Amino acid sequence: MTRICVVGGGGYVGLGYAVALAELGHDVVGLDIAAGRVALLNQGTSPIYEVGLPEMLRRNLDAARLRFTTDYAEAVPGSDLVFLCTGTPSLSDGEADLRQVRSAAASIGMHLVPGTRTIIVNKSTMPVGTADLVAGIVAEYAPEGARFAVISNPEFLREGRVLHDILRPDRVVLGGDDEEALEIVAELYGPLQAPILRTDHRSAELIKYAANAFLATKISFINDIARLCERLGADVTDVAEGIGADERIGPRFLHAGIGFGGSCFPKDVGALTRMAEGAGLHPGLLRAVMEINRDAQRRFVARADELLAGLDRRVIAIWGLAFKEGTDDLRESPAVAIAEMLMERGAIARAHDPAARENAARRLPRVILCDSPVEAATGADAVMLCTPWPEYRDLDFTEVARSMSGDIILDGRNLLDASHVAAAGLRYEGIGKGADRARAADAASPQVARGA
Ligand code: UGA
């Protein structure tokens, strides 16, 4: 049993680790400066929508292996390890904002105890070189005789699967030069039976950014191929399947659509771009990844505009507002960008999301929020599916067709069964479905042979 303090213990990453480390049998105190959150957590209420979290939180509170506080003086002294999980949001130029990290490092330093040794585990996604910065700040504030080591240990957690990804990681990356501290942290992860990669601080920090940038690149790559499919009469789903079957490429993160969002990919690709620029490079690939992503959303709106012959006063139903399925998170959500673009062009936006309604009421006050997808589609000229919630696939499209005033279903995530939608008398449009468009064009003018 190790005594662990998790700084930033009320956020996605911090709360996930606090709860999971307690579940593994450690004595954990979660520290967060947000007093409201801490009070809720101590009562067993999770402020975060995450599968399995409420149950695991309550179980470990009841077992007295877990508690939350706002007070560094209560949390840091006596801890063998301090996990640093504060947020690193973006500044307006894309650079990572390290204010929370700096202030947490100073507070940790101040509360180290002379005669003890503490290992600080950096979980926050921080630009390359930040481990040295953290060590410098801690050293500046630490009392004489307090010893500490810093280990870089990036996280690779997906929202909606945080506990799964903590407890069943593909790999654990540990960066640092203090062999004893590296060994202690490696032992902590031992029960998870994942491969452990040991490296230096800078490589560990870069692994996090490079992993997210690579996944984002896969998505922008397939979205670029989707554009080509539309022009050349091919089907991107088949193309993705065909290339993904090559084990060097792999099938995941090749779903074409309206692009990536969330609190990580846009922020981290932006921060990596800034790091490369700061190092005197021209990160053309990273810039293209972001440009293709923005373009995916613009093109989706332009397609609706084209099909409806203008968006002014058109009623559009948006299915899904969260940045992906399984979460209520609207940060950098492509659906939010699309809703805003539609309304700027005079459209009336009605929307449904199974989880994000409360957040949407704050973030998108002009959108009419509905209790069901059919209610959102009522009186709509078109439906635009933006988040691939599985329940949209199983809808009764005859009922949808009856409630709509138009007949267009734009599927921004290629989620729906096109034949199912068409059977209800609706017109289906996916992303990168050039083969469908070519067939429709052939049907409209059968005497003109395609490709002639
Ligand atoms: C992402 C990474 O997947 C995690 O490994 C990483 O730890 C995390 O960022 C982070 O840095 O904290 P997350 O933001 O939760 O996790 O979301 P993803 O599941 O990766 O999806 C990101 C976006 O890409 C979503 O908008 C999703 O709809 C979109 N996406 C994903 C696609 O458009 N196509 C795909 O094939 C896959």
Side-chain angles (χ1 to χ4, degrees):
M1 191 268 291
T2 309
R3 291 162 305 174
I4 302 172
C5 162
V6 180
V7 177
Y12 266 102
V13 174
L15 182 54
Y17 272 96
V19 167
L21 288 165
E23 182 78 6
L24 290 172
H26 301 293
D27 180 7
V28 181
V29 49
L31 184 144
D32 205 288
I33 50 171
R37 248 170 205 240
V38 165
L40 276 179
L41 285 164
N42 277 326
Q43 286 157 23
T45 308
S46 170
I48 283 166
Y49 181 91
E50 193 61 51
V51 178
L53 192 63
E55 300 78 15
M56 211 184 269
L57 169 69
R58 261 176 253 124
R59 190 160 59 239
N60 286 286
L61 286 170
D62 291 347
R65 285 190 295 261
L66 178 63
R67 68 205 152 85
F68 293 87
T69 179
T70 54
D71 188 2
Y72 278 88
E74 188 192 326
V76 174
S79 290
D80 310 302
L81 276 88
V82 176
F83 274 58
L84 184 50
C85 303
T86 47
T88 46
S90 299
L91 295 169
S92 62
D93 62 355
E95 200 169 301
D97 179 352
L98 294 179
R99 277 176 294 183
Q100 292 180 45
V101 170
R102 285 174 196 276
S103 119
S107 303
I108 293 167
M110 269 176 232
H111 292 92
L112 294 182
V113 178
T116 65
R117 174 176 156 89
T118 310
I119 299 172
I120 297 163
V121 181
N122 268 355
K123 280 268 158 218
S124 304
T125 300
M126 309 187 203
V128 175
T130 311
D132 297 338
L133 177 93
V134 168
I137 297 173
V138 175
E140 190 184 332
Y141 286 89
E144 208 163 313
R147 291 182 302 125
F148 73 92
V150 176
I151 298 297
S152 298
N153 173 216
E155 52 80 18
F156 305 100
L157 314 178
R158 289 162 294 180
E159 265 187 52
R161 309 206 54 179
V162 160
L163 293 174
H164 171 275
D165 289 352
I166 292 176
L167 295 168
R168 287 185 189 35
D170 292 340
R171 77 304 206 182
V172 172
V173 174
L174 300 179
D177 45 22
D178 184 317
E179 287 302 326
E180 192 193 335
L182 282 167
E183 195 50 45
I184 291 171
V185 182
E187 266 171 34
L188 185 80
Y189 285 109
L192 307 183
Q193 294 180 328
I196 294 185
L197 174 79
R198 290 192 193 189
T199 182
D200 57 90
H201 277 303
R202 285 172 177 256
S203 303
E205 289 166 334
L206 192 53
I207 285 169
K208 166 67 191 196
Y209 283 101
N212 273 0
F214 185 77
L215 292 170
T217 303
K218 266 188 116 174
I219 299 169
S220 278
F221 174 82
I222 202 65
N223 283 338
D224 210 25
I225 295 292
R227 299 200 281 206
L228 205 54
C229 288
E230 285 170 10
R231 290 291 167 89
L232 302 184
D235 184 321
V236 74
T237 307
D238 292 348
V239 173
E241 195 182 334
I243 63 173
D246 182 329
E247 63 179 24
R248 292 169 303 173
I249 297 172
R252 298 168 76 186
F253 279 70
L254 284 180
H255 296 290
I258 51 173
F260 56 79
S263 64
C264 303
F265 283 177
K267 166 177 85 76
D268 292 348
V269 176
L272 190 57
T273 305
R274 293 285 296 122
M275 269 183 258
E277 287 165 352
L281 301 173
H282 300 282
L285 176 62
L286 297 176
R287 286 187 194 135
V289 166
M290 290 307 288
E291 182 52 33
I292 293 168
N293 199 53
R294 277 189 289 271
D295 202 40
Q297 289 139 44
R298 287 190 214 117
R299 285 165 46 79
F300 196 49
V301 172
R303 186 71 185 137
D305 192 335
E306 188 184 325
L307 290 169
L308 294 169
L311 290 169
D312 194 26
R313 276 167 290 154
R314 297 291 189 192
V315 179
I316 311 278
I318 298 170
W319 284 355
L321 291 167
F323 83 95
K324 66 175 185 182
E325 72 281 21
T327 175
D328 64 350
D329 195 342
L330 297 180
R331 286 177 290 175
E332 302 290 325
S333 172
V336 170
I338 286 162
E340 282 169 347
M341 281 188 257
L342 290 169
M343 290 186 296
E344 275 161 16
R345 284 159 182 76
I348 297 150
R350 302 169 60 81
H352 168 262
D353 189 285
R357 189 184 173 130
E358 218 174 289
N359 289 341
R362 282 191 296 273
R363 177 74 182 75
L364 293 165
R366 285 174 53 219
V367 172
I368 302 159
L369 298 170
C370 304
D371 288 332
S372 73
V374 173
E375 188 194 328
T378 302
D381 296 296
V383 168
M384 295 173 82
L385 188 154
C386 291
T387 311
W389 287 100
E391 47 262 61
Y392 295 149
R393 201 181 298 141
D394 306 323
L395 288 170
D396 175 350
F397 281 91
T398 313
E399 197 189 346
V400 173
R402 237 183 279 124
S403 69
M404 289 176 68
S405 65
D407 65 352
I408 296 164
I409 306 281
L410 281 149
D411 182 356
R413 298 290 183 179
N414 289 344
L415 175 81
L416 306 175
D417 179 338
S419 57
H420 196 177
V421 175
L426 293 165
R427 174 166 175 191
Y428 177 84
E429 281 268 341
I431 302 282
K433 300 284 174 182
D436 292 353
R437 284 198 205 170
R439 259 194 302 278
D442 282 355
S445 53
Q447 70 280 22
V448 182
R450 198 150 59 89

